[in-house]
């Protein structure tokens, strides 16, 4: 099933301090999320809508290991982040929190605030110009984590199941 999402374009090297600014870390995710990406796109947290996607350049999520960086995006309702590469720590934190990360080598077909089609089954994207873009494969266990809404939700579901 292909779903449509609005794109937020960002550049390369978006670090965790831009996603979850250190000055707000004492406030919890509800206090951090309104400041997500304010240094890069001041309007982002205020205008982003549930279901939107972020398309960025290489090295998305570099910096510290703070899981609040992915948590702020989840809290704001981001469906997926699409980039050519991700920091390893951010990659794992994102999936643990239920945020889908799609590794796509070329993101030049995407346009800011334009729709993109996403097929989570085949991990393909349909750009505004109609071109179909394949993303790198994702292990099934990580896709299951996203579907469950993160690792903790997945574990809660497993505990409730009879063995």
């Amino acid at each position: 099933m292909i779903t449509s999402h609005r794109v937020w374009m960002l550049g390369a090297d978006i670090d965790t301090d831009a996603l979850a600014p250190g000055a707000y870390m004492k406030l919890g995710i509800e206090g951090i999320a309104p400041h997500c990406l304010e240094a890069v796109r001041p309007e982002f947290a205020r205008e982003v809508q549930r279901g939107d996607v972020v398309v960025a350049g290489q090295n998305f999520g570099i910096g510290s290991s703070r899981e609040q960086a992915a948590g702020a995006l989840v809290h704001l309702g981001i469906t997926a982040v699409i980039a050519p590469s991700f920091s390893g720590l951010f990659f794992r934190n994102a999936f643990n929190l239920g945020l889908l990360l799609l590794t796509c080598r070329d993101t030049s077909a995407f346009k800011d605030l334009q729709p993109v089609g996403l097929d989570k089954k085949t991990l393909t994207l349909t750009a505004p110009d109609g071109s179909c873009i394949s993303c790198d494969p994702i292990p099934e266990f990580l896709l299951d984590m996203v579907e469950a809404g993160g690792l903790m939700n997945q574990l809660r579901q497993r505990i409730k199941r009879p063995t």
Side-chain angles (χ1 to χ4, degrees), residues 107-160:
T107 58
S108 63
F110 303 108
K111 305 295 179 223
D112 194 43
L113 304 177
Q114 295 296 307
V116 62
L118 168 60
D119 186 333
K120 288 184 181 178
K121 212 58 161 150
T122 62
L123 300 180
T124 56
L125 303 161
T126 305
D129 65 4
S131 60
C132 189
I133 299 154
S134 294
C135 300
D136 289 357
I138 298 172
E140 195 67 35
F141 77 96
L142 291 177
L143 292 172
D144 291 345
M145 231 185 281
V146 169
E147 187 65 31
L151 179 60
M152 293 306 292
N153 287 338
Q154 186 180 47
L155 293 174
R156 285 184 197 102
Q157 290 169 7
R158 285 184 183 171
I159 289 170
K160 290 180 183 176

Side-chain angles (χ1 to χ4, degrees), residues 35-55:
H35 301 282
C36 182
L37 294 169
E38 70 184 2
V40 179
R41 292 209 49 185
E43 78 283 12
F44 178 77
R46 168 175 79 253
E47 296 179 14
V48 70
Q49 298 172 9
R50 188 156 299 285
D52 288 354
V53 299
V54 169
V55 176

